[in-house]
Amino acid sequence: MSSVRGSDALAAGSPLPSHRLDVEGLVLRYGRAGFTLAVDRLALPAGVHFLVGRNGSGKSSLLRVLAGLERPQAGTLRLDGAEVVGADAWRAYRAASGYLHQDFAVRGRASVRAYARYGAWLRGVARDEVGSRADEVLDAVGLADRAETRASRLSGGMQRRLGLAVELANHPHVYLLDEPTSGLDFEARDAVHDVVTTAVDSGAVVVVASHDDHELNRYPGATHHVLDAGRLVGSVTGDGAVTVQRLLGGVR
Amino acid sequence: MTHPRTREVLDAAAVSGAPAAALLLTAAGAVLVLAEDPATSRWLGATPDTGLFLSVLSFAVGGCLFAVVGYLAGARWSHDRGYPLRRSVPGLPRVVLVSVAGDLVWLVGALLLVHLVAFGRSAALGASAPLSGWPLSVLGLASATSCYVVAAVVGAALRTPFGVVLVAPAPYAATLLAGEVAVSSRPEVQQLVAPFVDQAWYPSLVPAAGPLLVLAAYCLAVAATAGTALVVLLGARLHAARPHAATVLLPAAAVVACAGLVTAGWSPNGFARPDPSGPACSADGRVCVWGGSRRTLPVLEAAERRVRAAVERAGAPADLRFVQHGLPSDDTAVPVDTPPGHVGEADVRAQMVAAYAQRWTDRCTGTADDPTLLPTLHDALLRAADDGSSEDLGPALRRARAC
């Protein structure tokens, strides 16, 4: 089976086909008697996918597996049908995916632009494009006018937008967002939603862990995958009236 | 336009946590360099000795601050908060390398600035060939860099930022330990424990580039070995892509080879060579100094003229020549000690007077016959040279001739 394509190929070109992420036979155990995440099959075609569940149900763990941060004991991950296996494939997958974690925060004295430049380099942007790409993504998340501000002095919401900007740098095909709007004001939420909408329009897969009823109904046609005690117990297509209560009640 | 690879490092420097330590290093270095008194300094005013001082400063003081930044970086990487290592596309080894380079831009830059200020101040006091101390600067920068990388490995292993209180003073402690090793039966090991040269070379010796560069290579090999170990350790901890453990073997072999060269070639003055510029003498050949101390020649000439005049007024032959310490001396060529920073005519004159007084009393059996003769002659000649009064010198000389 072929592996995922290299980052340059993934990032290049204009209109891209819809992307797709598939998980099969996933087993992730923490310790011998600890938490176990087990997902037999999860299909994530292009569009918005919410991971919904109680605290400790495995949402963040699943996102971390999808981000390549955890090495599961079993299971396969496929991007656009190609299994992600081996160092080169994982490197290409990291280049094709963006992951905004829950407790993203910036420290140090770097300016917003410097942070975005360095982040773009970490995301695999070609050396000679780092500067222009950093400016581009800062503009995309509404931080262009703050480019020279010290990043650690930004508010929490703005720092989250900066984190999102960094993850956008390599034009990912898979967005993994762990509670991206948690604690954000309306302006910051709108910035996140603009990014998500643009990503969906470009055929990307957007996976969001969220507890927020308002967010769950923001994207028509989004799919809600319900996790309980480390297992995927159901998937529901949104009808505009989805609530966490209803989703979780439905699985109990 | 900046080269893209350079740009990478500058971007890493922009997000580095090292500027505060670099600022502290610059301030501490500036205080140590600028507060030095030229009149009493062992190193100001002589380029080689300034380089020696900097080799110690770089390791003992610079090394501590390098170690602090390195340790905290290692501890931070081991947690990988924000996942810059695990999620990076360039890969863990490259990100670590570029991040280290970003920190070192600040730290090495600060240390280099201290070196430039020290050499500049020495040059302003008349030190010749201000660039000739470069091998010692290279050694200082390399030894401090090795402190950073070794501390980073320790930080990655211990993981807690609190361990920095143990690591920070380690280079200074190694400096103290080196003093103990230096007087042991294996003094050559001192350089491996604390890679600097703690000597005074003025005025006859200059840096021997070869051995110093071998010692610098040893430091860099240690840094390379520690750097590879760091990547292997972080890779194992973070389950990230990492080089094969066997890649440690290459830099480790370099460490062994360089350490062997350092110890095999060690000798008490193994890092120095005689000043190749040879002597510079006054027109009449009565005073000679090392070429590197040419600026002191007029001071020695003036002192010699006054002493000679006093001797000749007393009717004695002025048959002594004076050479700076380290130049060939014999019965008629007397060595004169000069401090590297400020050479005072009065001090030199006193040494010349002492030489004549000693020479005039050589035939006497010594203090057993007339214990006051030598000090009397010395004081009389010194007064004669200082203010031209010769009335005490004549009788003292007659007593000496009567021996």
Side-chain angles (χ1 to χ4, degrees):
Chain A
M1 182 174 279
S2 62
S3 63
V4 295
R5 292 168 289 166
S7 58
D8 291 343
L10 285 164
S14 37
L16 288 168
S18 292
H19 297 282
R20 179 184 179 87
L21 199 58
D22 290 283
V23 179
E24 282 178 25
L26 171 70
V27 178
L28 173 69
R29 285 190 201 92
Y30 292 105
R32 288 195 174 183
F35 173 80
T36 299
L37 175 69
V39 177
D40 292 338
R41 179 171 167 73
L42 176 60
L44 301 166
V48 178
H49 299 265
F50 283 102
L51 300 181
V52 185
R54 294 181 174 83
N55 289 335
S57 60
K59 303 186 296 296
S60 293
S61 294
L62 180 53
L63 278 178
R64 287 167 61 80
V65 171
L66 297 180
L69 294 172
E70 301 286 356
R71 294 282 167 90
Q73 284 75 21
T76 57
L77 178 67
R78 286 192 173 81
L79 176 61
D80 298 336
E83 185 177 354
V84 183
V85 60
D88 291 340
W90 274 107
R91 185 187 301 264
Y93 176 75
R94 287 197 297 271
S97 59
Y99 171 60
L100 183 65
H101 56 97
Q102 210 170 346
D103 49 358
F104 177 85
V106 184
R107 288 182 295 177
R109 303 173 64 86
S111 70
V112 168
R113 174 174 281 124
Y115 193 91
R117 286 183 62 98
Y118 185 67
W121 174 73
L122 286 176
R123 302 305 310 128
V125 173
R127 292 190 200 103
D128 50 356
E129 291 178 23
V130 162
S132 58
R133 196 69 67 81
D135 291 340
E136 180 189 315
V137 293
L138 288 179
D139 193 42
V141 299
L143 286 177
D145 58 338
R146 303 274 184 149
E148 301 309 324
T149 307
R150 190 187 291 185
S152 57
R153 287 188 176 162
L154 294 176
S155 66
M158 285 188 175
Q159 288 194 14
R160 189 71 65 89
R161 280 152 72 178
L162 177 57
L164 193 56
V166 167
E167 297 305 321
L168 289 174
N170 209 23
H171 297 320
H173 301 159
V174 177
Y175 289 73
L176 307 164
L177 309 176
D178 198 351
E179 314 236 10
T181 55
S182 170
L184 298 190
D185 60 20
F186 287 109
E187 189 187 353
R189 284 177 181 232
D190 286 345
V192 172
H193 289 304
D194 288 347
V195 167
V196 170
T197 304
T198 306
V200 171
D201 290 347
S202 68
V205 178
V206 181
V207 186
V208 184
S210 181
H211 285 292
D212 188 325
D213 289 345
H214 179 71
E215 297 299 319
L216 296 180
N217 293 294
R218 187 139 187 176
Y219 306 100
T223 310
H224 303 83
H225 305 281
V226 183
L227 287 153
D228 185 43
R231 293 183 181 277
L232 180 65
V233 292
S235 296
V236 179
T237 302
D239 56 5
V242 169
T243 65
V244 174
Q245 189 83 21
R246 209 178 108 198
L247 288 170
L248 297 183
V251 301
R252 278 291 166 114
Chain B
M1 188 172 167
T2 316
H3 189 277
R5 276 190 196 281
T6 310
R7 193 65 245 179
E8 275 176 25
V9 173
L10 293 178
D11 285 341
V15 299
S16 158
L23 192 65
L24 188 59
L25 177 57
T26 308
V31 167
L32 288 170
V33 169
L34 299 176
E36 184 77 1
D37 181 0
T40 56
S41 177
R42 285 177 58 217
W43 57 268
L44 262 181
T47 299
D49 285 17
T50 303
L52 292 171
F53 166 75
L54 290 173
S55 81
V56 180
L57 174 84
S58 300
F59 182 79
V61 177
C64 293
L65 286 164
F66 275 59
V68 167
V69 178
Y71 180 90
L72 293 176
R76 194 173 61 245
W77 291 326
S78 74
H79 293 287
D80 196 28
R81 291 206 176 89
Y83 318 112
L85 299 181
R86 277 175 285 181
R87 284 280 303 157
S88 74
V89 176
L92 184 146
R94 182 152 185 77
V95 174
V96 169
L97 182 66
V98 171
S99 299
V100 167
D103 282 350
L104 290 179
V105 163
W106 289 101
L107 296 171
V108 171
L111 193 52
L112 205 52
L113 184 63
V114 173
H115 282 216
L116 291 175
V117 170
F119 280 123
R121 185 155 187 239
S122 253
L125 289 166
S128 60
L131 298 180
S132 65
W134 70 266
L136 287 156
S137 275
V138 169
L139 173 61
L141 298 175
S143 66
T145 299
S146 67
C147 292
Y148 172 97
V149 187
V150 170
V153 180
V154 179
L158 297 184
R159 307 189 76 187
T160 167
F162 299 111
V164 75
V165 296
L166 298 175
V167 172
Y172 195 82
T175 306
L176 301 179
L177 177 64
E180 301 298 317
V181 177
V183 296
S184 71
S185 59
R186 298 292 305 274
E188 68 274 18
V189 179
Q190 177 199 356
Q191 256 63 46
L192 304 181
V193 176
F196 55 72
V197 186
D198 187 15
Q199 296 178 350
W201 290 350
Y202 182 83
S204 56
L205 300 174
V206 294
L212 287 168
L213 293 182
V214 168
L215 187 55
Y218 162 75
C219 295
L220 294 178
V222 168
T225 307
T228 312
L230 173 67
V231 169
V232 171
L233 178 63
L234 289 172
R237 179 158 286 159
L238 301 173
H239 310 291
R242 59 190 183 272
H244 197 275
T247 52
V248 178
L249 293 178
L250 185 63
V255 171
V256 173
C258 291
L261 286 172
V262 169
T263 52
W266 185 88
S267 68
N269 262 331
F271 296 106
R273 63 192 171 99
D275 185 348
S277 58
C281 298
S282 58
D284 57 10
R286 300 182 72 94
V287 177
C288 292
V289 296
W290 287 97
S293 307
R294 198 180 302 273
R295 68 188 166 83
T296 64
L297 191 55
V299 179
L300 269 70
E301 278 186 290
E304 195 275 336
R305 269 196 305 272
R306 292 184 70 164
V307 173
R308 177 159 35 112
V311 170
E312 287 173 345
R313 275 199 306 275
D319 52 0
L320 289 183
R321 292 168 54 241
F322 296 96
V323 295
Q324 195 175 20
H325 183 82
L327 285 171
S329 59
D330 54 32
D331 286 350
T332 59
V334 180
V336 176
D337 285 325
T338 51
H342 173 73
V343 179
E345 191 197 322
D347 174 52
V348 176
R349 201 160 62 224
Q351 292 185 59
M352 292 174 174
V353 163
Y356 271 108
Q358 187 66 52
R359 184 174 173 78
W360 289 333
T361 56
D362 273 351
R363 283 173 301 171
C364 302
T365 50
T367 55
D369 290 342
D370 186 353
T372 63
L373 179 57
L374 181 60
T376 303
L377 260 177
H378 179 274
D379 292 350
L381 180 55
L382 195 58
R383 270 196 302 279
D386 282 351
D387 54 27
S389 60
S390 303
E391 58 263 27
D392 296 337
L393 186 55
L397 259 178
R398 278 193 292 280
R399 278 167 60 195
R401 283 172 184 148
C403 285

